[in-house]
Coordinates of all heavy atoms in Angstrom, one line a residue:
M1 N 11.4 4.3 16.3 CA 11.8 4.0 15.0 C 10.8 2.9 14.4 O 10.4 2.0 15.0 CB 13.2 3.3 15.1 CG 13.8 3.1 13.7 SD 15.5 2.8 13.8 CE 15.6 1.1 13.1
L2 N 10.5 3.2 13.2 CA 9.5 2.3 12.6 C 10.1 1.0 12.1 O 11.2 1.0 11.7 CB 8.9 3.0 11.3 CG 8.1 4.3 11.6 CD1 7.7 4.8 10.3 CD2 6.9 3.9 12.3
R3 N 9.4 -0.1 12.3 CA 9.8 -1.4 11.8 C 9.0 -1.8 10.6 O 7.8 -1.7 10.7 CB 9.6 -2.4 13.0 CG 10.8 -2.9 13.5 CD 10.6 -4.0 14.6 NE 9.4 -4.8 14.5 CZ 8.6 -5.0 15.4 NH1 8.8 -4.6 16.6 NH2 7.4 -5.7 15.3
V4 N 9.6 -2.4 9.7 CA 8.9 -2.9 8.5 C 8.3 -4.2 8.8 O 8.9 -5.1 9.6 CB 9.8 -3.1 7.3 CG1 9.1 -3.7 6.1 CG2 10.3 -1.7 6.9
Q5 N 7.1 -4.5 8.5 CA 6.4 -5.8 8.7 C 5.7 -6.1 7.5 O 5.4 -5.4 6.6 CB 5.4 -5.7 9.9 CG 4.3 -4.8 9.8 CD 3.5 -4.7 11.0 OE1 4.0 -4.8 12.1 NE2 2.2 -4.6 10.8
K6 N 5.5 -7.5 7.3 CA 4.7 -8.0 6.1 C 3.2 -7.9 6.5 O 2.8 -8.3 7.5 CB 5.1 -9.4 5.9 CG 6.5 -9.6 5.4 CD 6.6 -9.3 3.9 CE 8.0 -9.6 3.4 NZ 8.2 -9.1 2.0
V7 N 2.5 -7.4 5.5 CA 1.0 -7.4 5.6 C 0.3 -8.0 4.4 O 0.8 -7.7 3.3 CB 0.5 -5.9 5.8 CG1 -1.0 -5.8 5.9 CG2 1.1 -5.2 7.0
R8 N -0.6 -8.8 4.7 CA -1.4 -9.4 3.5 C -2.0 -8.3 2.7 O -2.8 -7.5 3.2 CB -2.4 -10.5 3.9 CG -1.7 -11.7 4.5 CD -2.8 -12.8 4.9 NE -4.0 -12.8 4.0 CZ -4.0 -13.5 2.8 NH1 -3.0 -14.0 2.3 NH2 -5.1 -13.4 2.2
V9 N -1.8 -8.4 1.3 CA -2.4 -7.4 0.5 C -3.9 -7.4 0.6 O -4.6 -6.2 0.6 CB -1.9 -7.6 -1.0 CG1 -2.8 -6.8 -1.9 CG2 -0.4 -7.4 -1.1
D10 N -4.5 -8.5 0.7 CA -6.0 -8.6 0.8 C -6.6 -8.0 2.1 O -7.8 -7.8 2.3 CB -6.4 -10.1 0.6 CG -6.2 -10.5 -0.8 OD1 -6.1 -9.7 -1.7 OD2 -6.1 -11.7 -1.0
D11 N -5.7 -7.8 3.1 CA -6.2 -7.5 4.4 C -6.1 -5.9 4.6 O -6.4 -5.3 5.6 CB -5.4 -8.0 5.5 CG -5.6 -9.5 5.7 OD1 -6.7 -10.0 5.1 OD2 -4.9 -10.2 6.3
I12 N -5.7 -5.2 3.5 CA -5.6 -3.8 3.6 C -6.8 -3.1 2.9 O -7.2 -3.4 1.8 CB -4.3 -3.3 2.8 CG1 -3.0 -4.0 3.5 CG2 -4.2 -1.8 2.9 CD1 -1.8 -3.7 2.7
Y13 N -7.4 -2.2 3.8 CA -8.6 -1.5 3.3 C -8.1 -0.2 2.7 O -7.3 0.6 3.4 CB -9.6 -1.2 4.4 CG -10.7 -0.3 4.1 CD1 -11.7 -0.7 3.3 CD2 -10.6 1.0 4.7 CE1 -12.8 0.1 3.0 CE2 -11.7 1.9 4.3 CZ -12.7 1.5 3.5 OH -13.7 2.3 3.2
V14 N -8.6 0.3 1.6 CA -8.3 1.5 0.9 C -9.6 2.4 1.0 O -10.6 2.0 0.5 CB -7.9 1.3 -0.5 CG1 -7.5 2.7 -1.1 CG2 -6.6 0.4 -0.6
P15 N -9.5 3.4 1.8 CA -10.6 4.4 1.9 C -11.1 4.9 0.5 O -10.3 5.1 -0.4 CB -10.1 5.5 2.8 CG -9.0 4.9 3.6 CD -8.3 4.0 2.7
T16 N -12.4 5.2 0.4 CA -13.0 5.5 -0.9 C -12.3 6.7 -1.4 O -11.9 6.9 -2.7 CB -14.5 5.7 -0.8 OG1 -15.0 4.5 -0.3 CG2 -15.1 6.0 -2.0
A17 N -12.0 7.7 -0.6 CA -11.4 9.0 -1.0 C -10.1 8.8 -1.6 O -9.7 9.4 -2.5 CB -11.4 10.0 0.1
R18 N -9.4 7.8 -1.0 CA -8.0 7.5 -1.5 C -8.0 6.8 -3.0 O -7.2 7.0 -3.7 CB -7.2 6.7 -0.6 CG -7.2 7.1 0.8 CD -5.9 7.8 1.2 NE -4.7 7.3 0.6 CZ -3.6 8.0 0.6 NH1 -3.6 9.2 1.2 NH2 -2.5 7.6 0.1
R19 N -9.1 6.0 -3.1 CA -9.1 5.3 -4.4 C -9.3 6.3 -5.6 O -9.0 5.9 -6.7 CB -10.3 4.4 -4.4 CG -10.1 3.1 -3.6 CD -11.3 2.1 -3.8 NE -11.4 1.5 -2.4 CZ -12.5 1.3 -1.8 NH1 -13.6 1.8 -2.3 NH2 -12.6 0.6 -0.6
K20 N -9.9 7.3 -5.3 CA -10.2 8.4 -6.5 C -9.0 9.0 -7.1 O -8.9 9.5 -8.1 CB -11.2 9.4 -5.9 CG -12.5 8.9 -5.6 CD -13.4 10.1 -5.0 CE -14.7 9.5 -4.6 NZ -15.6 10.5 -4.1
T21 N -7.8 8.8 -6.2 CA -6.6 9.5 -6.7 C -5.7 8.4 -7.4 O -4.6 8.8 -7.8 CB -5.8 9.9 -5.4 OG1 -5.4 8.9 -4.6 CG2 -6.6 11.0 -4.6
L22 N -6.2 7.3 -7.8 CA -5.4 6.2 -8.5 C -5.4 6.5 -10.0 O -6.3 6.9 -10.6 CB -6.1 4.9 -8.3 CG -5.5 3.7 -8.9 CD1 -4.1 3.4 -8.0 CD2 -6.3 2.5 -8.8
H23 N -4.0 6.4 -10.4 CA -3.7 6.5 -11.8 C -3.2 5.4 -12.4 O -2.0 4.9 -12.1 CB -2.7 7.7 -12.0 CG -3.2 9.1 -11.5 ND1 -4.1 9.8 -12.1 CD2 -2.9 9.7 -10.4 CE1 -4.3 10.8 -11.5 NE2 -3.7 10.9 -10.3
P24 N -4.0 4.6 -13.2 CA -3.5 3.3 -13.7 C -2.2 3.3 -14.4 O -1.4 2.4 -14.3 CB -4.7 2.9 -14.7 CG -5.8 3.7 -14.2 CD -5.3 5.0 -13.7
E25 N -1.9 4.3 -15.2 CA -0.5 4.3 -15.9 C 0.6 4.4 -14.8 O 1.7 3.8 -15.1 CB -0.5 5.6 -16.8 CG 0.8 5.7 -17.6 CD 1.0 4.5 -18.5 OE1 0.1 3.8 -18.9 OE2 2.2 4.3 -18.8
T26 N 0.4 5.1 -13.7 CA 1.4 5.2 -12.7 C 1.5 3.9 -12.1 O 2.8 3.4 -11.9 CB 1.0 6.2 -11.6 OG1 0.8 7.4 -12.3 CG2 2.1 6.3 -10.6
V27 N 0.6 3.1 -11.9 CA 0.6 1.8 -11.3 C 1.3 0.9 -12.3 O 2.3 0.0 -11.9 CB -0.8 1.2 -11.1 CG1 -0.7 -0.3 -10.8 CG2 -1.5 1.9 -10.0
R28 N 1.2 0.9 -13.6 CA 1.9 0.1 -14.6 C 3.4 0.4 -14.5 O 4.1 -0.5 -14.4 CB 1.3 0.3 -15.9 CG 1.9 -0.6 -17.0 CD 1.5 -0.2 -18.4 NE 2.0 1.1 -18.8 CZ 3.3 1.3 -19.1 NH1 4.2 0.4 -19.1 NH2 3.7 2.5 -19.5
R29 N 3.7 1.7 -14.6 CA 5.1 2.0 -14.6 C 5.8 1.7 -13.3 O 7.0 1.1 -13.3 CB 5.3 3.5 -14.8 CG 5.0 3.9 -16.2 CD 5.5 5.4 -16.5 NE 5.2 6.4 -15.5 CZ 4.2 7.3 -15.5 NH1 3.5 7.3 -16.6 NH2 4.0 8.0 -14.6
L30 N 5.1 1.8 -12.1 CA 5.7 1.5 -10.8 C 5.9 -0.1 -10.7 O 6.9 -0.6 -10.3 CB 4.8 1.9 -9.8 CG 5.3 1.9 -8.3 CD1 6.7 2.4 -8.2 CD2 4.3 2.4 -7.4
A31 N 5.0 -0.8 -11.3 CA 5.0 -2.3 -11.3 C 6.3 -2.7 -12.1 O 7.0 -3.7 -11.7 CB 3.8 -2.9 -11.8
E32 N 6.5 -2.1 -13.3 CA 7.7 -2.5 -14.0 C 9.0 -2.1 -13.3 O 9.9 -2.9 -13.3 CB 7.7 -1.7 -15.3 CG 6.6 -2.2 -16.2 CD 6.5 -1.4 -17.5 OE1 7.1 -0.3 -17.7 OE2 5.6 -1.7 -18.5
D33 N 9.0 -1.1 -12.6 CA 10.1 -0.6 -11.8 C 10.3 -1.6 -10.6 O 11.5 -2.0 -10.3 CB 9.9 0.7 -11.3 CG 11.2 1.3 -10.5 OD1 12.3 1.4 -11.2 OD2 11.1 1.5 -9.3
I34 N 9.3 -2.1 -10.0 CA 9.4 -3.0 -8.9 C 10.0 -4.3 -9.4 O 10.9 -5.0 -8.7 CB 8.0 -3.2 -8.1 CG1 7.7 -1.9 -7.4 CG2 8.1 -4.4 -7.3 CD1 6.3 -1.9 -7.0
L35 N 9.6 -4.7 -10.6 CA 10.1 -6.0 -11.2 C 11.6 -5.9 -11.3 O 12.3 -6.8 -11.2 CB 9.4 -6.2 -12.5 CG 8.1 -7.0 -12.4 CD1 7.5 -7.2 -13.8 CD2 8.4 -8.4 -11.8
E36 N 12.1 -4.7 -11.8 CA 13.5 -4.5 -12.1 C 14.3 -4.3 -10.8 O 15.4 -4.8 -10.7 CB 13.6 -3.4 -13.1 CG 13.2 -3.6 -14.5 CD 13.4 -2.5 -15.4 OE1 14.1 -1.6 -15.1 OE2 12.6 -2.4 -16.4
N37 N 13.8 -3.5 -10.0 CA 14.5 -2.9 -8.8 C 14.0 -3.4 -7.4 O 14.7 -3.1 -6.4 CB 14.6 -1.5 -8.9 CG 15.2 -1.0 -10.2 OD1 16.2 -1.4 -10.6 ND2 14.4 -0.1 -10.9
G38 N 12.9 -4.0 -7.4 CA 12.3 -4.3 -6.1 C 11.6 -3.0 -5.5 O 11.7 -2.0 -6.0
M39 N 10.8 -3.4 -4.4 CA 10.1 -2.3 -3.7 C 11.1 -1.5 -2.8 O 11.7 -2.1 -1.9 CB 9.0 -2.8 -2.8 CG 8.2 -1.9 -2.2 SD 6.8 -1.1 -3.0 CE 5.8 -2.5 -3.4
K40 N 11.2 -0.3 -3.1 CA 12.2 0.6 -2.4 C 11.6 1.1 -1.0 O 12.3 1.2 -0.1 CB 12.7 1.7 -3.2 CG 13.4 1.2 -4.5 CD 13.8 2.4 -5.3 CE 14.4 1.9 -6.6 NZ 13.9 2.5 -7.8
T41 N 10.4 1.5 -1.1 CA 9.8 2.2 0.1 C 8.6 1.5 0.6 O 7.7 1.3 -0.2 CB 9.4 3.7 -0.2 OG1 10.6 4.3 -0.7 CG2 9.0 4.4 1.0
P42 N 8.5 1.1 1.8 CA 7.3 0.3 2.2 C 6.1 1.3 2.3 O 6.2 2.4 2.4 CB 7.7 -0.1 3.7 CG 9.1 -0.1 3.7 CD 9.6 1.0 2.9
I43 N 4.9 0.7 2.2 CA 3.7 1.5 2.3 C 3.4 1.8 3.8 O 4.3 1.3 4.7 CB 2.4 0.8 1.7 CG1 2.1 -0.5 2.5 CG2 2.7 0.5 0.2 CD1 0.8 -1.1 2.2
Q44 N 2.6 2.7 4.1 CA 2.2 2.9 5.5 C 0.7 2.6 5.7 O -0.1 2.9 4.9 CB 2.4 4.4 5.8 CG 3.8 4.9 5.8 CD 4.0 6.3 6.1 OE1 3.1 6.9 6.7 NE2 5.1 6.9 5.6
V45 N 0.5 1.8 6.8 CA -0.8 1.5 7.2 C -1.0 1.8 8.7 O -0.1 1.8 9.4 CB -1.1 0.0 6.9 CG1 -1.1 -0.3 5.5 CG2 -0.2 -0.9 7.7
R46 N -2.3 2.0 9.1 CA -2.7 2.0 10.5 C -3.5 0.9 10.8 O -4.2 0.3 9.9 CB -3.2 3.3 10.8 CG -4.6 3.6 10.3 CD -5.1 5.0 10.7 NE -6.3 5.3 10.1 CZ -7.6 5.0 10.5 NH1 -7.6 4.4 11.6 NH2 -8.6 5.2 9.9
H47 N -3.7 0.5 12.1 CA -4.6 -0.6 12.4 C -5.7 0.0 13.3 O -5.3 0.7 14.3 CB -3.8 -1.7 13.1 CG -4.5 -3.0 13.1 ND1 -5.4 -3.3 14.2 CD2 -4.6 -4.1 12.3 CE1 -5.9 -4.5 14.0 NE2 -5.4 -5.0 12.9
D48 N -6.9 -0.3 13.0 CA -8.0 0.3 13.7 C -8.6 -0.8 14.8 O -9.7 -0.6 15.2 CB -9.1 0.8 12.9 CG -9.9 -0.3 12.1 OD1 -9.5 -1.5 12.2 OD2 -10.9 0.1 11.4
G49 N -7.9 -1.9 15.0 CA -8.4 -2.9 15.9 C -9.0 -4.0 15.1 O -9.1 -5.2 15.7
K50 N -9.4 -3.9 13.9 CA -10.0 -4.9 13.1 C -9.2 -5.2 11.8 O -9.2 -6.3 11.4 CB -11.4 -4.6 12.7 CG -12.4 -4.4 14.0 CD -13.8 -4.1 13.5 CE -13.8 -2.6 13.4 NZ -15.1 -2.0 13.1
R51 N -8.7 -4.1 11.2 CA -8.1 -4.3 9.9 C -7.0 -3.2 9.7 O -6.9 -2.3 10.4 CB -9.2 -4.1 8.8 CG -9.8 -2.7 8.8 CD -10.9 -2.6 7.9 NE -11.6 -1.3 8.1 CZ -12.6 -1.0 7.4 NH1 -13.2 -1.7 6.5 NH2 -13.1 0.3 7.7
H52 N -6.2 -3.4 8.7 CA -5.2 -2.5 8.3 C -5.8 -1.5 7.3 O -6.5 -1.9 6.5 CB -3.9 -3.1 7.7 CG -3.2 -3.9 8.7 ND1 -3.3 -5.3 8.8 CD2 -2.1 -3.5 9.5 CE1 -2.5 -5.6 9.8 NE2 -1.7 -4.6 10.1
I53 N -5.5 -0.2 7.5 CA -6.1 0.8 6.7 C -4.9 1.6 6.0 O -3.9 2.0 6.7 CB -6.9 1.9 7.4 CG1 -8.1 1.0 8.1 CG2 -7.5 2.9 6.6 CD1 -9.0 1.8 9.0
L54 N -4.9 1.7 4.7 CA -3.9 2.4 4.0 C -3.8 3.9 4.4 O -4.7 4.6 4.4 CB -4.1 2.2 2.5 CG -3.0 2.9 1.6 CD1 -1.7 2.0 1.7 CD2 -3.5 3.0 0.2
V55 N -2.5 4.3 4.7 CA -2.4 5.7 5.0 C -1.6 6.3 3.8 O -1.9 7.5 3.4 CB -1.5 5.8 6.3 CG1 -1.1 7.3 6.5 CG2 -2.3 5.4 7.4
E56 N -0.6 5.6 3.3 CA 0.3 6.2 2.2 C 0.8 5.1 1.4 O 1.2 4.0 1.9 CB 1.6 6.9 2.9 CG 2.3 7.7 1.9 CD 1.6 8.8 1.3 OE1 0.9 9.6 2.0 OE2 1.7 9.1 0.0
G57 N 0.7 5.2 0.1 CA 1.3 4.2 -0.7 C 0.3 3.5 -1.7 O 0.5 2.3 -2.0
L58 N -0.7 4.1 -2.1 CA -1.8 3.5 -2.9 C -1.2 2.9 -4.2 O -1.5 1.8 -4.5 CB -2.8 4.5 -3.3 CG -4.0 4.1 -4.2 CD1 -4.7 3.0 -3.6 CD2 -4.9 5.3 -4.6
H59 N -0.4 3.7 -4.9 CA 0.1 3.2 -6.1 C 1.0 1.9 -6.0 O 1.1 1.0 -6.8 CB 0.9 4.3 -7.0 CG -0.1 5.3 -7.5 ND1 -0.5 6.4 -6.8 CD2 -0.9 5.3 -8.6 CE1 -1.4 7.0 -7.5 NE2 -1.7 6.4 -8.5
R60 N 1.7 2.0 -4.9 CA 2.7 0.8 -4.6 C 1.9 -0.4 -4.3 O 2.2 -1.5 -4.6 CB 3.6 1.1 -3.5 CG 4.8 2.1 -3.9 CD 5.6 2.6 -2.7 NE 4.9 3.7 -2.1 CZ 5.1 4.2 -0.9 NH1 5.9 3.6 -0.1 NH2 4.3 5.2 -0.5
L61 N 0.8 -0.2 -3.5 CA -0.1 -1.3 -3.2 C -0.8 -1.9 -4.4 O -0.8 -3.2 -4.6 CB -1.2 -0.9 -2.1 CG -2.2 -1.9 -1.8 CD1 -1.6 -3.1 -1.1 CD2 -3.3 -1.2 -0.9
E62 N -1.3 -1.0 -5.2 CA -1.9 -1.5 -6.5 C -0.9 -2.2 -7.4 O -1.3 -3.1 -8.1 CB -2.6 -0.3 -7.2 CG -3.9 0.2 -6.4 CD -4.9 -0.9 -6.1 OE1 -5.2 -1.7 -7.1 OE2 -5.4 -0.9 -5.0
A63 N 0.3 -1.7 -7.5 CA 1.4 -2.3 -8.3 C 1.6 -3.8 -7.8 O 1.9 -4.6 -8.5 CB 2.6 -1.4 -8.4
A64 N 1.7 -3.9 -6.4 CA 1.9 -5.2 -5.8 C 0.8 -6.1 -6.2 O 1.0 -7.2 -6.5 CB 2.1 -5.1 -4.3
K65 N -0.5 -5.7 -6.1 CA -1.6 -6.4 -6.5 C -1.5 -6.8 -8.0 O -1.7 -8.0 -8.4 CB -2.8 -5.7 -6.3 CG -3.3 -5.6 -4.8 CD -4.6 -4.7 -4.8 CE -5.0 -4.4 -3.4 NZ -6.3 -3.7 -3.3
W66 N -1.2 -5.9 -8.9 CA -1.0 -6.1 -10.2 C 0.0 -7.2 -10.5 O 0.0 -8.0 -11.4 CB -0.6 -4.8 -10.9 CG -0.8 -4.8 -12.5 CD1 -2.0 -4.7 -13.1 CD2 0.3 -4.8 -13.4 NE1 -1.6 -4.8 -14.5 CE2 -0.3 -4.8 -14.7 CE3 1.7 -4.9 -13.2 CZ2 0.5 -4.9 -15.8 CZ3 2.4 -5.0 -14.4 CH2 1.9 -5.0 -15.7
L67 N 1.1 -7.2 -9.8 CA 2.1 -8.2 -9.9 C 1.8 -9.6 -9.3 O 2.6 -10.5 -9.3 CB 3.4 -7.7 -9.3 CG 4.1 -6.5 -10.1 CD1 5.2 -5.9 -9.2 CD2 4.6 -6.9 -11.4
G68 N 0.6 -9.6 -8.6 CA 0.2 -10.9 -8.0 C 0.8 -11.2 -6.6 O 0.8 -12.3 -6.1
E69 N 1.4 -10.1 -6.0 CA 2.0 -10.3 -4.7 C 0.8 -10.5 -3.6 O -0.3 -10.0 -3.7 CB 2.7 -9.1 -4.3 CG 3.9 -8.8 -5.1 CD 5.0 -9.8 -5.0 OE1 5.2 -10.4 -4.0 OE2 5.8 -9.9 -6.0
T70 N 1.1 -11.4 -2.6 CA 0.1 -11.7 -1.6 C 0.4 -10.9 -0.4 O -0.4 -10.7 0.5 CB 0.0 -13.1 -1.3 OG1 1.3 -13.6 -0.9 CG2 -0.4 -13.9 -2.5
E71 N 1.7 -10.5 -0.2 CA 2.1 -9.6 1.0 C 2.9 -8.5 0.5 O 3.5 -8.5 -0.5 CB 3.0 -10.5 1.9 CG 2.2 -11.7 2.6 CD 3.1 -12.4 3.6 OE1 4.3 -12.4 3.4 OE2 2.5 -12.7 4.7
I72 N 3.0 -7.4 1.4 CA 3.7 -6.3 1.0 C 4.4 -5.7 2.2 O 3.9 -5.8 3.4 CB 2.8 -5.2 0.4 CG1 3.6 -4.0 -0.2 CG2 1.7 -4.7 1.4 CD1 2.8 -3.1 -1.1
D73 N 5.5 -5.1 2.2 CA 6.2 -4.5 3.3 C 5.4 -3.3 3.7 O 5.1 -2.5 2.8 CB 7.7 -4.2 2.9 CG 8.6 -5.4 2.8 OD1 8.2 -6.4 3.3 OD2 9.7 -5.2 2.3
A74 N 5.3 -3.1 4.9 CA 4.5 -1.9 5.5 C 5.1 -1.4 6.8 O 5.5 -2.2 7.6 CB 3.0 -2.2 5.6
Y75 N 5.0 -0.2 7.0 CA 5.2 0.5 8.3 C 3.8 0.6 8.9 O 2.9 1.1 8.4 CB 5.8 1.9 8.2 CG 7.2 1.9 7.6 CD1 7.5 2.8 6.5 CD2 8.2 1.3 8.3 CE1 8.8 2.8 6.1 CE2 9.6 1.4 7.8 CZ 9.9 2.1 6.8 OH 11.1 2.2 6.3
L76 N 3.7 0.2 10.3 CA 2.5 0.4 10.9 C 2.7 1.7 11.7 O 3.6 1.9 12.5 CB 2.3 -0.7 12.0 CG 1.1 -0.7 12.8 CD1 -0.1 -0.8 11.9 CD2 1.1 -1.8 13.8
V77 N 1.9 2.7 11.4 CA 2.0 4.1 11.9 C 0.8 4.4 12.7 O -0.4 3.8 12.5 CB 2.2 5.1 10.8 CG1 3.4 4.8 10.0 CG2 1.1 5.1 9.8
Q78 N 0.9 5.4 13.5 CA -0.2 6.0 14.3 C -0.7 7.2 13.4 O 0.2 8.2 13.2 CB 0.2 6.4 15.8 CG 0.7 5.3 16.6 CD -0.3 4.4 16.9 OE1 -1.5 4.6 17.1 NE2 0.0 3.1 16.8
A79 N -1.8 7.3 12.9 CA -2.3 8.3 12.0 C -3.7 8.6 12.4 O -4.5 7.7 12.7 CB -2.1 7.9 10.6
K80 N -4.1 9.8 12.1 CA -5.5 10.3 12.2 C -6.3 9.7 11.0 O -5.7 9.3 10.0 CB -5.6 11.8 12.0 CG -5.0 12.5 13.3 CD -5.2 14.0 13.1 CE -4.5 14.7 14.2 NZ -4.6 16.2 14.0
R81 N -7.6 9.6 11.2 CA -8.3 9.0 10.1 C -8.3 10.0 9.0 O -8.3 11.3 9.1 CB -9.8 8.9 10.7 CG -9.9 7.9 11.8 CD -11.3 7.8 12.2 NE -11.7 6.4 12.1 CZ -12.8 5.9 12.2 NH1 -13.9 6.7 12.5 NH2 -13.0 4.6 12.0
H82 N -8.5 9.5 7.8 CA -8.4 10.3 6.6 C -9.9 10.6 6.2 O -10.7 9.7 6.2 CB -7.7 9.6 5.4 CG -6.2 9.7 5.7 ND1 -5.5 10.7 5.8 CD2 -5.3 8.6 5.8 CE1 -4.3 10.4 6.0 NE2 -4.2 9.1 6.0

């Protein structure tokens, strides 16, 4: 079973290919929803021994950054490299 843990937003690396899928309007709408309702689903990250790498949840991560959050709830998963 996955456990939610707090991860520093600044410590999460977003692969270049993932950044290309970012939609600013989606981030804005999601940030507004998070303000009203809170973060419903943690992001997913993997750890490569040095840093956390984003697996799932780019828009949630960017919305948290936009809101000035320093930490975000995340599941630590075992995943293949993207």
Side-chain angles (χ1 to χ4, degrees):
M1 186 163 123
L2 294 175
R3 244 184 31 225
V4 175
Q5 62 184 38
K6 293 279 187 191
V7 176
R8 286 186 35 80
V9 169
D10 292 340
D11 293 344
I12 300 171
Y13 171 74
V14 179
T16 304
R18 305 264 323 165
R19 284 188 217 129
K20 292 178 182 177
T21 65
L22 185 67
H23 299 285
E25 181 60 22
T26 302
V27 172
R28 185 191 64 76
R29 285 194 317 258
L30 188 54
E32 290 173 357
D33 185 65
I34 291 169
L35 274 176
E36 291 178 20
N37 305 306
M39 181 82 66
K40 295 178 185 129
T41 306
I43 64 170
Q44 294 180 20
V45 295
R46 67 181 177 85
H47 198 268
D48 70 353
K50 296 178 275 182
R51 61 186 175 182
H52 289 93
I53 300 171
L54 183 70
V55 174
E56 191 66 44
L58 176 62
H59 289 92
R60 285 171 278 162
L61 175 61
E62 292 301 320
K65 287 180 184 178
W66 193 76
L67 292 170
E69 298 292 332
T70 58
E71 292 185 324
I72 190 168
D73 287 342
Y75 290 126
L76 184 60
V77 298
Q78 300 295 320
K80 292 181 183 178
R81 301 181 120 185
H82 290 299

